[in-house]
Amino acid sequence: VALPVLLWRRPYLAPAVVLGGALLIEQFPDSLGVSSQHITSSIPLFHGLGGFRPSDLVALLMLIVYVARSGTGVLAPAPLSTVSRAIVALLCAVAVGVVVGVGSGGTLRIALTEIRPYLYVATAYLIASTTILNRRRARALLWTCVVATGFKAFQALFIFISVRRLNPRPEAVLGHEESLFFATFISLVMALWLFDVPGRLRTTATALAPVVV
């Protein structure tokens, strides 16, 4: 209930909301029966609503805020760049794929489900490119990445300790996408040292690195 109010009053928080949700909340409900996983897997951000997802509503909400508040000075204009043109070309290709697929006997509902990631990418790019306007906001995203990934690393260890004596063991303790997020975290820590970015962000990320590894 508070999220629409928050994003309307402070649209620059939208990238952190998107990144934090993607890093913290699993795509699917808890399947291990481990209470510690219920902390995040029970939050129905990416499942529920009879085939629709609350994440779809969040993306739609962000688009509404962008349209309503563009031109007011709160948000920057949508960029006319090589990346933005590539995003538009991607969406055109997706639209052609839907038309061809449905026209050749495919199911529209399934087609719309399959194109959801591309719509998320386009929405996330639009919101990020119009709200991250200074170093402070960029660092807020890096802090979101560090804190959220560190939390998932501790959660993964706790779940593993809880299930390691089960027979048979579950196939996984977290979603498979977490391996990508953990690798990205390690790359971030390396970048903070290679490009000599001192401060609490680098100190915190370095301290969490062994847990993530």
Side-chain angles (χ1 to χ4, degrees):
V1 174
L3 188 60
V5 178
L6 177 68
L7 295 181
W8 179 263
R9 294 174 62 89
R10 294 179 172 82
Y12 58 85
L13 294 178
V17 170
V18 171
L19 182 62
L23 293 175
L24 286 173
I25 302 173
E26 281 77 14
Q27 294 185 58
F28 305 102
D30 174 37
S31 59
L32 298 177
V34 180
S35 59
S36 56
Q37 195 187 25
H38 282 298
I39 298 173
T40 52
S41 63
S42 61
I43 301 173
L45 180 61
F46 299 109
H47 53 84
L49 293 181
F52 294 96
R53 302 178 184 181
S55 54
D56 299 338
L57 300 181
V58 172
L60 180 61
L61 170 64
M62 291 179 179
L63 289 176
I64 293 173
V65 171
Y66 168 78
V67 172
R69 306 214 65 181
S70 60
T72 62
V74 177
L75 302 173
L80 299 176
S81 63
T82 302
V83 176
S84 63
R85 288 190 290 270
I87 292 289
V88 172
L90 173 65
L91 292 180
C92 291
V94 169
V96 170
V98 171
V99 172
V100 172
V102 174
S104 59
T107 304
L108 179 61
R109 183 180 63 82
I110 295 177
L112 295 178
T113 299
E114 292 298 322
I115 68 171
R116 180 183 280 118
Y118 304 105
L119 301 181
Y120 283 175
V121 166
T123 302
Y125 173 74
L126 176 65
I127 298 304
S129 61
T130 57
T131 58
I132 305 176
L133 307 179
N134 52 50
R135 290 178 63 90
R136 181 180 179 183
R137 295 182 185 179
R139 288 182 70 88
L141 271 188
L142 297 181
W143 270 108
T144 302
C145 178
V146 168
V147 173
T149 308
F151 174 85
K152 295 304 291 188
F154 278 106
Q155 184 184 23
L157 291 176
F158 192 85
I159 295 173
F160 175 73
I161 293 173
S162 302
V163 303
R164 68 189 185 92
R165 297 187 183 278
L166 296 180
N167 187 19
R169 283 185 182 178
E171 294 183 357
V173 296
L174 292 177
H176 59 272
E177 68 274 8
E178 298 297 343
S179 59
L180 174 63
F181 298 153
F182 289 158
T184 302
F185 178 92
I186 299 301
S187 298
L188 171 61
V189 175
M190 294 172 61
L192 291 173
W193 284 97
L194 288 172
F195 295 103
D196 193 19
V197 185
R200 288 180 292 177
L201 176 65
R202 187 174 74 176
T203 301
T204 303
T206 303
L208 291 173
V211 184
V212 175
V213 171

